[in-house]
Amino acid sequence: MAGEDRSPGTAPRAAAPDETPDLYGAYPRLTPKQIRFLSGHGTRRPVAAGEVLIREGDRGGDFYVILGGSVAITEYYGTSDERLLRLHRQGRFLGELGLLQGQVAFYTAHAQEAGEVLVIPVDRLRVLVARDPVLGNLVLRAYLGRRTLLVGAGAGFRILGSRYSSDTRRLREFAARNWLPHRWIDLETDAEAEALLRRFSVTPEETPIVIWREEQVLRNPGNAELARLIGLSTPAADGDHDLLIVGSGPAGIAAAVYGSSDGLATTLVDAFATGGQAGTSSLIENYLGFPSGISGSELAERGVLQARKFGARVRIPAEATSLEPDGGHYRVTFADGTEALGRTVVLATGAHYRRLDVPGIARLEGTSVFYAATVYEARQCGADPVAVVGGGNSAGQASLFLAERVPRVHLLIRGASLGAGMSRYLVDQIERHPRVNVALDTEVREVRGDDTLRSVVVEHIRTKERRALDACSLFVFIGAKPCTDWLSDVLALDDEGFVLTGAEAEARAAPGVWESQSRGCLRLETSLPGVFAAGDVRSGSVKRVASAAGEGAMAVHHVHDHLGHTTAGLPGPGDDLPAPSGRSAAPGGDPHASATDAHPLHMTGGEGR
């Protein structure tokens, strides 16, 4: 009721007929006990009908609990395109994931009816949810669910561009991997495209553009410019860091959580998005503690929120280009010219998927050839069959995910056995699934299609028989290579470019580096004291999400060991650094290799790698 003034101790009213139903756990109602608890840390105040509580595009804000009246959640508020997204009443709270992450709001919340709200500063909220695990889990689950619904509804900013443009693909991938609510408007096929071009006086040659709040247009922005617009990245911190973590896959995020919770001044950076390869997994079914499975993006978001809660700073995008000793510290330089100084460094840059070496495939990448299988790629498949290449868990998970959305999935494997490089639970599901067709001993020889894929030509390895398979999209999971090109002249690497650690790294270090230390090289330490490697980038690591997270935590333990010893013997600028003596060029490998054909990185366990 308008102007309703109930005590926080009274039971919340039942959902009104016009209230958005809570079908997915994204809009829970607080209990009287929880409202009483929060009331001791906030301020009650009346709200008038039409009053704006959260405005689209504003950063930060407060946490609101509705005590009376109703609040509407709208997009494009006050414009001709205004759209009602949700309606909430007494006992519900406002906000979504961006509130905790310091991002701008992707919607406007305004009082539809007069009433009353409880207002709590967001910094205070972070303390309260950390103190009360039940309340904290309720808020976090709701916020994660709301972000998913916003993404699915196409709220947020709009990307207008051609499906054949590499910059359009770049912006879409950046938004998707960072879980930013947005909608893509196809320049060639969307009826809305022409009207928007006229409205904003933009020519097709000037696309892609990003449209924000119907009033701001970015012409072909870089990833960093888009990140600043949304508030995705924490501003660079001045001064030294106790711990600088490069790479935000499971290993990097775990290091950030444990480092910041131990009181270390911690900064986590990544060139593109949090989550690493695991972040592209649609469902990780065998990660400890999640019996019903969890997507890689949600796992990453939960970890980053934990790290932020303990004070870690996160910078995205921030592409590291060099690492050098500097007076007992290490200086990391980034592609935008900025620098960061750390007492210790954890390298968790992981690896990136190998490209399929088939003539003409480059022109189809991003439009119908993909190296990840998430809801964004699946939407482009429509009702047509697709092909998946690879014999590891990533290929298996992608096949099952896509099979729920398309009529036919062709899983193409170079090896002679489905179970050679894939977990048993995936093999069983694939063999039972009626829409997954497995082709063993098979390689891709040709892709057909001009602007988009129409079919793939495959060859049976033993019989040399070729045939064409109808497929509108091709998903490639054929292993990965480490992201260490920027480290080749600084650290000791193995023959495939992975970072050596422990005894192997010490043996390959520059003369005098370790003799000046009062200890030996730690297990995850590289050929430079105080620089550690964790996760997929480390030579000899087990390529699983759980082990990567464990190595991230273990690296922080080593950081404390290192900081407890003198670092006076660290090399300075200009000193000799370890040369990759004896290292051969990283082999190109067979692009159709199954999980057992190449580096153990391809043995992905079952955790979305």
Side-chain angles (χ1 to χ4, degrees):
M1 288 190 323
E4 185 176 46
D5 185 8
R6 292 177 180 265
S7 164
T10 44
R13 59 182 289 174
D18 58 346
E19 185 179 37
T20 301
D22 183 21
L23 300 179
Y24 308 102
Y27 309 115
R29 208 175 300 280
L30 295 172
T31 67
K33 182 178 179 181
Q34 289 168 334
I35 295 177
R36 285 196 300 271
F37 170 70
L38 291 171
S39 294
H41 303 278
T43 303
R44 295 169 58 120
R45 71 171 180 86
V47 293
E51 180 179 346
V52 173
L53 302 175
I54 300 172
R55 188 174 298 278
E56 186 175 357
D58 287 353
R59 189 192 298 264
D62 296 316
F63 177 78
Y64 293 95
V65 179
I66 304 172
L67 301 178
S70 62
V71 175
I73 307 299
T74 61
E75 186 182 26
Y76 311 134
Y77 178 67
T79 72
S80 59
D81 295 326
E82 182 174 331
R83 177 169 62 126
L84 177 66
L85 299 176
R86 323 280 179 221
L87 182 67
H88 303 304
R89 293 187 178 273
Q90 184 183 356
R92 288 187 176 178
F93 53 89
L94 306 182
E96 60 96 36
L97 194 61
L99 179 66
L100 297 179
Q101 294 182 327
Q103 296 175 10
V104 299
F106 293 97
Y107 57 85
T108 294
H110 60 94
Q112 187 180 66
E113 303 170 278
E116 186 181 23
V117 294
L118 173 65
V119 187
I120 301 172
V122 67
D123 290 340
R124 185 61 181 161
L125 173 69
R126 292 190 181 99
V127 175
L128 295 177
V129 297
R131 185 181 303 171
D132 186 333
V134 175
L135 177 63
N137 188 56
L138 179 75
V139 172
L140 178 59
R141 287 181 59 193
Y143 279 6
L144 289 167
R146 293 177 191 186
R147 173 56 65 93
T148 299
L149 291 171
L150 280 175
V151 169
F157 57 90
R158 287 179 279 185
I159 300 172
L160 192 165
S162 169
R163 66 174 59 197
Y164 309 119
S165 163
S166 60
D167 282 317
T168 299
R169 295 196 297 268
R170 170 182 57 80
L171 289 169
R172 292 182 62 205
E173 184 180 4
F174 184 77
R177 287 288 309 278
N178 285 287
W179 212 12
L180 300 176
H182 71 286
R183 180 159 61 93
W184 171 47
I185 301 169
D186 191 341
L187 182 65
E188 278 77 25
T189 62
D190 201 310
E192 185 183 1
E194 185 61 34
L196 288 172
L197 291 177
R198 289 196 302 268
R199 182 192 301 184
F200 296 107
S201 300
V202 176
T203 65
E205 292 75 24
E206 293 177 290
T207 60
I209 60 173
V210 170
I211 305 169
W212 175 235
R213 299 173 60 196
E214 296 303 292
E215 61 188 35
Q216 190 170 359
V217 176
L218 303 181
R219 286 171 166 79
N220 195 14
N223 293 344
E225 186 178 0
L226 179 57
R228 286 193 296 270
L229 176 73
I230 302 304
L232 178 64
S233 182
T234 303
D238 296 329
D240 299 349
H241 306 76
D242 293 326
L243 174 58
L244 181 61
I245 304 163
V246 184
S248 65
I253 293 174
V257 170
Y258 286 99
S260 56
S261 65
D262 285 351
L264 298 174
T266 302
T267 292
L268 175 68
V269 303
D270 197 283
F272 196 76
T274 59
Q277 287 189 54
T280 66
S281 177
S282 54
L283 186 66
I284 304 172
E285 290 192 77
N286 65 340
Y287 187 66
L288 181 66
F290 294 92
S292 60
I294 184 172
S295 71
S297 60
E298 182 176 343
L299 183 65
E301 288 293 339
R302 286 173 173 265
V304 170
L305 284 173
Q306 278 183 290
R308 288 182 185 271
K309 180 180 75 173
F310 293 120
R313 302 176 70 89
V314 181
R315 286 186 60 194
I316 295 173
E319 180 184 357
T321 56
S322 69
L323 167 71
E324 60 180 346
D326 189 344
H329 291 64
Y330 288 99
R331 183 177 300 278
V332 175
T333 302
F334 301 99
D336 62 1
T338 60
E339 297 178 334
L341 202 62
R343 298 172 65 195
T344 59
V345 176
V346 170
L347 301 171
T349 51
H352 57 81
Y353 285 113
R354 296 183 187 275
R355 263 44 184 172
L356 189 64
D357 186 15
V358 176
I361 199 172
R363 72 177 185 276
L364 301 176
E365 290 185 339
T367 61
S368 47
V369 174
F370 307 103
Y371 297 87
T374 70
V375 64
Y376 298 96
E377 290 81 19
R379 283 176 182 166
Q380 294 186 230
C381 298
D384 297 315
V386 303
V388 177
V389 182
N393 280 357
S394 294
Q397 289 171 334
S399 298
L400 292 171
F401 172 73
L402 294 167
E404 298 303 317
R405 293 157 173 82
V406 300
R408 174 67 61 185
V409 175
H410 300 285
L411 177 55
L412 312 176
I413 300 176
R414 183 178 186 273
S417 169
L418 182 61
M422 195 179 295
S423 293
R424 187 70 232 177
Y425 82 96
L426 285 173
V427 173
D428 292 342
Q429 292 182 56
I430 288 172
E431 289 178 339
R432 293 196 304 265
H433 205 294
R435 289 194 292 276
V436 179
N437 175 52
V438 179
L440 301 175
D441 296 316
T442 301
E443 293 182 322
V444 176
R445 294 301 186 210
E446 183 184 349
V447 293
R448 294 176 178 174
D450 296 325
D451 296 324
T452 58
L453 184 70
R454 291 186 293 104
S455 64
V456 295
V457 177
V458 299
E459 179 181 278
H460 192 275
I461 295 174
R462 287 183 284 114
T463 66
K464 304 302 180 183
E465 177 186 356
R466 292 194 176 192
R467 59 192 175 110
L469 302 174
D470 290 338
C472 72
S473 297
L474 180 64
F475 294 82
V476 182
F477 302 93
I478 54 174
K481 60 179 295 187
C483 302
T484 55
D485 291 345
W486 63 291
L487 298 169
S488 59
D489 296 328
V490 180
L491 298 177
L493 309 177
D494 69 11
D495 288 345
E496 293 188 342
F498 293 87
V499 180
L500 292 172
T501 57
E504 291 179 292
E506 185 173 358
R508 294 272 298 276
V513 168
W514 284 100
E515 286 77 357
S516 61
Q517 299 294 306
S518 59
R519 58 174 179 79
C521 184
L522 300 169
R523 184 175 179 183
L524 299 183
E525 201 161 20
T526 69
S527 52
L528 287 178
V531 178
F532 304 89
D536 287 3
V537 76
R538 189 179 71 84
S539 178
S541 65
V542 178
K543 314 305 180 184
R544 291 176 178 248
V545 174
S547 61
E551 287 193 8
M554 185 176 175
V556 173
H557 177 72
H558 288 338
V559 165
H560 287 295
D561 287 341
H562 171 74
L563 294 176
H565 289 77
T566 177
T567 57
L570 283 177
D575 287 353
D576 290 336
L577 295 175
S581 59
R583 174 188 168 197
S584 60
D590 187 336
H592 299 76
S594 71
T596 56
D597 287 334
H599 195 275
L601 180 65
H602 304 167
M603 294 296 292
T604 58
E607 297 150 341
R609 308 305 289 252

